[in-house]
Amino acid sequence: MMSCRWLLPLAASVSSASAANEAECGQPLLEFLHELRTFGATGGGRFGFGVSRPAFSEDDMAARRWLVTRLEALGMEAAVDGAGHVFGRRKEHRDTPVLLLGSHSDSQREGGWLDGALGVAYAFTAAKALGGEAGEEAPLEVVSFQDEEGRFGVTPGSQHFAHGAALWELPDLHNRAGGLTYADAARLANVTGEASSFEGRGPYLGFFEAHIEQGPRLEAAKQKIGVVEAVVGLGQYRISFTGEQNHAGSTPMASRKDALAAALRTGAAVLDAVEAAAKSLDPEAVYGINVVEVEGPNSASVVPGRITLILQFRSAQTGALDAMAQAAQGAAEAHNGRRGVAVEFAVDRATLAPVQFQSSMVSDLATAAEASGHEFMRMTARAVHDASNLARKTPTVMMFVPSIGGISHSFEEHTEEADLVVGCDVYVAAVRRMLRRWETSSEL
Amino acid sequence: MMSCRWLLPLAASVSSASAANEAECGQPLLEFLHELRTFGATGGGRFGFGVSRPAFSEDDMAARRWLVTRLEALGMEAAVDGAGHVFGRRKEHRDTPVLLLGSHSDSQREGGWLDGALGVAYAFTAAKALGGEAGEEAPLEVVSFQDEEGRFGVTPGSQHFAHGAALWELPDLHNRAGGLTYADAARLANVTGEASSFEGRGPYLGFFEAHIEQGPRLEAAKQKIGVVEAVVGLGQYRISFTGEQNHAGSTPMASRKDALAAALRTGAAVLDAVEAAAKSLDPEAVYGINVVEVEGPNSASVVPGRITLILQFRSAQTGALDAMAQAAQGAAEAHNGRRGVAVEFAVDRATLAPVQFQSSMVSDLATAAEASGHEFMRMTARAVHDASNLARKTPTVMMFVPSIGGISHSFEEHTEEADLVVGCDVYVAAVRRMLRRWETSSEL
């Protein structure tokens, strides 16, 4: 076991955590975040912190090139790769196992300054705190994945990175709004649209992602840190109703085939069935019919001919996901053909299985949170993150900080800066613990 | 009682109706219809008889100016008035009571060649058959009302004519698509946008409108003539659901306020309640929630925050209309506040009361239909027509002919030409009976 300078602060963390971490996290973190925010800042929202930085937009690419220079200033080799990701690590670690730190710097078109950006800022701050002279640096790599926000699909960048599938083979990879593909957008942004830098990258000790919660639980419980143990799985189904469009006055009730009446009755029955399944198997499960699509004039004097509902549900338990799908399908099929309306139940997108994070990394994070003296809670992530993909490739864990009102994907998104700094303290301490554990267990 | 030449054919109608009417209706009717169709003909639809002649469009106005010349050729004074209607009558009848005959010549944007146009063609053919030397002509006026198809509201032209309200005071008088008003469109079409020609028009003996059925009943029953005794009334209500838009993953079930879930459950309950009320009071009533409006992203991962449903129902019985409205309101209000979603029930448009046509005119029409030897049935109109408005001003009746498949408001609309001629025979015979009755009862 070699003695590493970057490990030293850990020894002092219990007695003087605040002083030590304030220097590491306070000013450097906030400077990084505010500078990153200048790319795509809109000033929108109640707090004035709105950001618009969709994947491959000019602002997104400028922010990525800026990140490259910041990583280079830490002595790292960094670049925007062929898929639009930014990776940075020191050349001394080119062939050694590293802990991957980061998240994503692209945003929703109407987004906030923290979603994704915070995880990149924590990664950068940790790399800065744990950097040092050649031979002593922490074995880290910093990443900003591309398109976590799903302009071209569901986290296509990290999905590709984790699973190695060619980007153009991934499902849902079209931008539904404009017909542009991920690869097209990458080439327009002057990267190759391929991801050759992935080849030979790694091996990895693990992946650690920080993120604002995007939900109300931490704030409601007055907790500062969320130790995320799992990510829910997700099922999504289309329920289509085909009747016959006709005049709403002159078509007798006995001969009308009203697709919307069928959708209302069947939709209510599907929700009741899913609710019953969720209540008995996973009280934390969430579900809803969130989309209704109307074909035709949608006019008061016309009987609707075709309606589609999209049902989505999430649970951390595979059994509950299966049961909700079966309950929904059963209710939908029981209504098929009633009053002349055909009901079809179909997969709208492939089911995402629940993800369990690695227990050792969860313990490292929980121990660091506990040592910080701040309140923390163990929880399940209920939105998809890059970590959902990475967990299938390498040991992974996530950490949450509170978000005001639980709001995200909105110009209204915000978090108290004091909470951001507390989170960074815990994050850096957790990285130290993870690295120390791997070093002392001779995994390095 | 004066002896009028135009009354003579009635005496022969029982013994030689076909021969007499063939000359009056066959060739003149079809020539008129085919020539009118050239204005806005699209060639669309299975039969190639599609027409697009929306109110105040170039094709609509050209058709109206053409109609003026055709009426003038019958010796009538005719003009497009300030509201876009065409009226024509002989100057000898300027100050005497007349029977008003006609319908409308505007069409839906994707319409058929008969909807409205047929009623104008029958009126023209009757005026031609019953015209004659000065002093002997039948006391008739021919009309093509403007905008029956509702580009600017619900039959605004005849509504204005019948009720005398200024056009700009009528509700719903904006073109929702373009912000243009009825008066704007009229001025762009080189009429005044006012309706000064209404003043002093009349008095009227009555109004008689022929129309394709726009429904399946006559065709299904293999009947050639519909003697329309009433027009259904119509109620239309908005049911709005206000919840809270949020992330569909990270918002717990206990705290989400899902407007679409509420709309599905409440909508199904409203339909059940309206169905029960209709079944017990008027088995012929029709009803449906025909419109669903979604505010917000309508995205699978977002809990919908605001949804509106529009309910419409029709019945010939005022009691049934009231009961359906009460049932719907009760069901909607019973759901108000459930699971955090506010439900509002409001009038979407003023209720149209059912219309009963005048019994003497119904008898005249039924007698003419019976005398023709063709099959006919008494029925209720289930769509709004200009006659719905006129019935509140003057004795009124309607006649239907079959429409193939019950289709209208579509390029697919069509009727066998033989059926059109049969209808015209009965129409002209009915006009004779009406005039004879008024003359012999000294109403003239």
Coordinates of all heavy atoms in Angstrom, one line a residue, chain A residues 153-155 159 163 169-173 176 232-238 310-314 321-322 325 345-355 384 388-389 392, chain B residues 300-301:
Chain A
G153 N -33.8 10.6 -26.7 CA -34.2 9.3 -26.3 C -34.1 9.3 -24.8 O -34.2 10.4 -24.1
V154 N -33.9 8.2 -24.1 CA -33.9 8.1 -22.7 C -32.4 7.9 -22.3 O -31.8 6.9 -22.5 CB -34.7 6.9 -22.2 CG1 -34.7 6.9 -20.7 CG2 -36.1 7.0 -22.7
T155 N -31.8 9.0 -21.8 CA -30.4 9.0 -21.4 C -29.5 8.3 -22.4 O -28.7 7.4 -22.1 CB -30.1 8.4 -20.0 OG1 -30.6 7.0 -20.0 CG2 -30.9 9.1 -18.9
Q159 N -26.4 5.5 -21.7 CA -26.9 4.2 -22.0 C -25.9 3.6 -23.0 O -25.5 2.4 -22.9 CB -28.3 4.4 -22.7 CG -29.1 3.1 -22.8 CD -30.4 3.3 -23.5 OE1 -30.8 4.5 -23.7 NE2 -31.1 2.2 -23.8
H163 N -23.6 0.3 -22.1 CA -23.9 -0.9 -22.7 C -23.1 -1.2 -24.0 O -23.2 -2.3 -24.5 CB -25.4 -0.9 -23.0 CG -26.3 -0.7 -21.8 ND1 -26.1 -1.4 -20.6 CD2 -27.2 0.2 -21.6 CE1 -27.0 -0.9 -19.8 NE2 -27.7 0.1 -20.3
E169 N -28.0 2.4 -33.0 CA -28.8 1.2 -32.8 C -29.7 1.3 -31.6 O -30.5 0.4 -31.3 CB -27.9 0.0 -32.6 CG -27.2 -0.4 -33.8 CD -26.1 -1.5 -33.6 OE1 -26.0 -2.0 -32.5 OE2 -25.4 -1.9 -34.6
L170 N -29.6 2.4 -30.8 CA -30.4 2.5 -29.6 C -31.8 2.8 -30.0 O -32.1 3.5 -31.0 CB -29.9 3.6 -28.7 CG -28.6 3.3 -28.0 CD1 -28.1 4.6 -27.3 CD2 -28.8 2.2 -26.9
P171 N -32.8 2.3 -29.2 CA -34.2 2.7 -29.6 C -34.5 4.1 -29.2 O -33.8 4.7 -28.5 CB -35.0 1.7 -28.7 CG -34.1 1.4 -27.5 CD -32.7 1.5 -28.1
D172 N -35.5 4.6 -29.8 CA -36.0 6.0 -29.5 C -35.0 7.1 -29.8 O -34.9 8.1 -29.1 CB -36.4 6.1 -28.0 CG -37.7 5.3 -27.8 OD1 -38.5 5.3 -28.7 OD2 -37.9 4.9 -26.6
L173 N -34.1 6.9 -30.7 CA -33.0 7.8 -30.8 C -33.3 9.0 -31.8 O -32.4 9.7 -32.1 CB -31.7 7.1 -31.2 CG -30.5 7.7 -30.6 CD1 -30.6 7.8 -29.1 CD2 -29.2 6.9 -30.9
R176 N -38.1 13.5 -31.7 CA -39.4 13.5 -32.3 C -39.9 14.8 -32.8 O -40.7 14.9 -33.7 CB -40.4 13.0 -31.2 CG -40.1 11.6 -30.7 CD -41.0 11.1 -29.6 NE -40.4 9.8 -29.1 CZ -41.0 9.1 -28.2 NH1 -42.2 9.5 -27.6 NH2 -40.5 7.9 -27.8
V232 N -35.8 3.4 -9.1 CA -37.0 2.6 -9.5 C -36.9 2.1 -10.9 O -36.3 2.7 -11.8 CB -38.3 3.4 -9.3 CG1 -38.5 3.8 -7.9 CG2 -38.2 4.7 -10.2
G233 N -37.6 1.0 -11.2 CA -37.8 0.6 -12.6 C -39.1 1.3 -13.1 O -39.9 1.9 -12.4
L234 N -39.3 1.1 -14.4 CA -40.4 1.9 -15.1 C -41.0 1.1 -16.2 O -40.3 0.5 -17.0 CB -39.7 3.2 -15.6 CG -40.6 4.2 -16.3 CD1 -39.9 5.6 -16.2 CD2 -40.8 3.9 -17.8
G235 N -42.3 1.1 -16.1 CA -43.1 0.4 -17.2 C -43.9 1.5 -17.9 O -44.4 2.4 -17.3
Q236 N -44.1 1.4 -19.2 CA -44.9 2.4 -20.0 C -45.6 1.7 -21.1 O -45.0 1.0 -21.9 CB -43.9 3.5 -20.5 CG -44.7 4.7 -21.0 CD -43.7 5.9 -21.2 OE1 -43.0 6.3 -20.4 NE2 -43.8 6.4 -22.4
Y237 N -46.9 1.9 -21.1 CA -47.8 1.2 -22.0 C -48.8 2.1 -22.7 O -49.2 3.1 -22.2 CB -48.6 0.1 -21.3 CG -47.7 -0.9 -20.7 CD1 -47.1 -0.8 -19.4 CD2 -47.4 -2.1 -21.4 CE1 -46.3 -1.7 -18.9 CE2 -46.5 -3.0 -20.9 CZ -46.0 -2.9 -19.7 OH -45.1 -3.8 -19.2
R238 N -49.1 1.8 -24.0 CA -50.1 2.5 -24.8 C -51.4 1.7 -24.8 O -51.4 0.5 -25.0 CB -49.7 2.6 -26.3 CG -48.5 3.4 -26.5 CD -48.1 3.3 -28.0 NE -49.0 4.2 -28.8 CZ -48.9 5.5 -28.8 NH1 -47.9 6.1 -28.2 NH2 -49.7 6.3 -29.5
I310 N -51.5 6.9 -22.5 CA -50.2 6.3 -22.1 C -50.1 6.3 -20.6 O -50.3 7.3 -19.9 CB -49.1 7.1 -22.8 CG1 -49.2 7.0 -24.3 CG2 -47.7 6.6 -22.3 CD1 -48.0 7.7 -25.0
L311 N -49.9 5.0 -20.2 CA -49.8 4.7 -18.7 C -48.3 4.5 -18.4 O -47.6 3.9 -19.1 CB -50.6 3.4 -18.5 CG -50.3 2.7 -17.1 CD1 -50.9 3.4 -16.0 CD2 -50.8 1.3 -17.2
Q312 N -47.9 5.2 -17.3 CA -46.5 5.0 -16.8 C -46.5 4.7 -15.4 O -47.3 5.3 -14.6 CB -45.7 6.2 -17.1 CG -44.2 6.0 -16.8 CD -43.4 7.3 -16.7 OE1 -43.4 8.0 -15.7 NE2 -42.7 7.6 -17.8
F313 N -45.7 3.7 -14.9 CA -45.6 3.5 -13.5 C -44.2 3.1 -13.1 O -43.4 2.7 -14.0 CB -46.6 2.3 -13.0 CG -46.5 1.1 -13.9 CD1 -45.5 0.2 -13.8 CD2 -47.6 0.8 -14.8 CE1 -45.5 -0.9 -14.6 CE2 -47.5 -0.3 -15.6 CZ -46.5 -1.2 -15.4
R314 N -43.9 3.3 -11.8 CA -42.5 3.1 -11.4 C -42.5 2.4 -10.0 O -43.4 2.7 -9.2 CB -41.8 4.4 -11.2 CG -41.8 5.3 -12.5 CD -40.9 6.5 -12.4 NE -41.3 7.5 -13.4 CZ -40.4 8.3 -14.0 NH1 -39.1 8.2 -13.6 NH2 -40.8 9.1 -14.9
L321 N -43.7 -4.1 -10.4 CA -43.8 -3.7 -11.8 C -44.6 -4.7 -12.7 O -45.4 -4.3 -13.4 CB -42.4 -3.5 -12.4 CG -41.5 -2.3 -11.9 CD1 -40.1 -2.4 -12.5 CD2 -42.2 -1.0 -12.3
D322 N -44.2 -6.0 -12.5 CA -44.9 -7.0 -13.2 C -46.4 -7.0 -12.9 O -47.3 -7.2 -13.8 CB -44.3 -8.4 -12.9 CG -42.9 -8.5 -13.4 OD1 -42.5 -7.7 -14.3 OD2 -42.2 -9.5 -13.0
A325 N -48.3 -4.1 -14.5 CA -48.5 -4.3 -15.9 C -49.6 -5.3 -16.1 O -50.5 -5.1 -17.0 CB -47.2 -4.8 -16.6
F345 N -53.8 -3.0 -26.0 CA -52.8 -2.7 -24.9 C -51.4 -3.1 -25.4 O -51.2 -4.3 -25.8 CB -53.2 -3.5 -23.7 CG -52.4 -3.2 -22.5 CD1 -52.7 -2.2 -21.6 CD2 -51.2 -4.0 -22.2 CE1 -52.0 -1.9 -20.4 CE2 -50.5 -3.7 -21.0 CZ -50.9 -2.7 -20.2
A346 N -50.5 -2.2 -25.4 CA -49.2 -2.5 -26.0 C -48.1 -1.8 -25.3 O -48.3 -0.8 -24.6 CB -49.2 -2.0 -27.5
V347 N -46.9 -2.4 -25.3 CA -45.7 -1.8 -24.7 C -45.4 -0.4 -25.4 O -45.4 -0.4 -26.7 CB -44.5 -2.7 -24.8 CG1 -43.2 -2.0 -24.4 CG2 -44.7 -3.9 -24.0
D348 N -45.3 0.6 -24.7 CA -44.9 1.9 -25.4 C -43.4 2.1 -25.4 O -42.8 2.7 -26.3 CB -45.6 3.1 -24.6 CG -45.3 4.4 -25.4 OD1 -45.7 4.5 -26.5 OD2 -44.7 5.3 -24.8
R349 N -42.7 1.6 -24.3 CA -41.3 1.6 -24.3 C -40.8 0.4 -23.4 O -41.5 0.1 -22.5 CB -40.7 2.9 -24.0 CG -40.6 3.2 -22.5 CD -39.9 4.6 -22.3 NE -39.1 4.5 -21.1 CZ -38.6 5.6 -20.5 NH1 -38.9 6.8 -20.9 NH2 -37.9 5.5 -19.4
A350 N -39.7 -0.1 -23.8 CA -39.2 -1.3 -23.0 C -39.1 -1.0 -21.5 O -38.6 0.1 -21.1 CB -37.8 -1.7 -23.6
T351 N -39.5 -1.9 -20.7 CA -39.5 -1.8 -19.3 C -38.1 -1.6 -18.8 O -37.2 -2.4 -19.2 CB -40.2 -3.0 -18.6 OG1 -41.5 -3.0 -19.1 CG2 -40.2 -2.9 -17.1
L352 N -37.9 -0.6 -17.9 CA -36.6 -0.5 -17.3 C -36.7 -1.2 -15.9 O -37.5 -0.9 -15.1 CB -36.3 1.0 -17.0 CG -36.1 1.9 -18.2 CD1 -35.9 3.4 -17.7 CD2 -34.9 1.5 -19.0
A353 N -35.7 -2.1 -15.7 CA -35.7 -2.9 -14.5 C -35.2 -2.0 -13.3 O -34.5 -1.0 -13.6 CB -34.8 -4.1 -14.6
P354 N -35.6 -2.2 -12.1 CA -35.1 -1.4 -11.0 C -33.6 -1.7 -10.8 O -33.1 -2.7 -11.2 CB -35.8 -2.0 -9.8 CG -37.0 -2.8 -10.3 CD -36.6 -3.2 -11.7
V355 N -32.9 -0.7 -10.3 CA -31.5 -0.7 -10.1 C -31.2 -0.7 -8.6 O -31.7 0.2 -7.9 CB -30.8 0.5 -10.8 CG1 -29.3 0.5 -10.5 CG2 -31.0 0.4 -12.3
V384 N -35.1 8.6 -13.7 CA -33.9 8.0 -14.4 C -32.7 8.9 -14.4 O -32.9 10.1 -14.6 CB -34.3 7.6 -15.8 CG1 -33.1 7.0 -16.6 CG2 -35.4 6.5 -15.8
S388 N -28.4 5.2 -13.5 CA -29.2 4.0 -13.8 C -28.5 3.1 -14.8 O -28.5 1.9 -14.7 CB -30.5 4.4 -14.3 OG -31.1 5.4 -13.6
N389 N -27.9 3.7 -15.8 CA -27.1 3.0 -16.8 C -25.8 2.5 -16.3 O -25.4 1.3 -16.5 CB -26.9 3.8 -18.0 CG -28.2 4.2 -18.7 OD1 -29.1 3.4 -18.9 ND2 -28.3 5.5 -19.1
R392 N -25.2 -0.8 -14.3 CA -25.2 -2.1 -15.0 C -23.8 -2.4 -15.5 O -23.5 -3.5 -15.9 CB -26.2 -2.1 -16.1 CG -27.6 -2.0 -15.6 CD -28.7 -2.3 -16.6 NE -30.0 -2.4 -16.0 CZ -30.8 -1.3 -15.7 NH1 -30.4 -0.1 -16.1 NH2 -31.9 -1.5 -15.1
Chain B
A300 N -45.3 11.5 -21.0 CA -45.5 10.3 -20.2 C -44.9 10.5 -18.8 O -45.3 9.8 -17.9 CB -44.8 9.1 -20.9
S301 N -43.9 11.3 -18.7 CA -43.2 11.5 -17.4 C -43.7 12.7 -16.6 O -43.0 13.1 -15.7 CB -41.7 11.5 -17.5 OG -41.2 10.3 -17.9

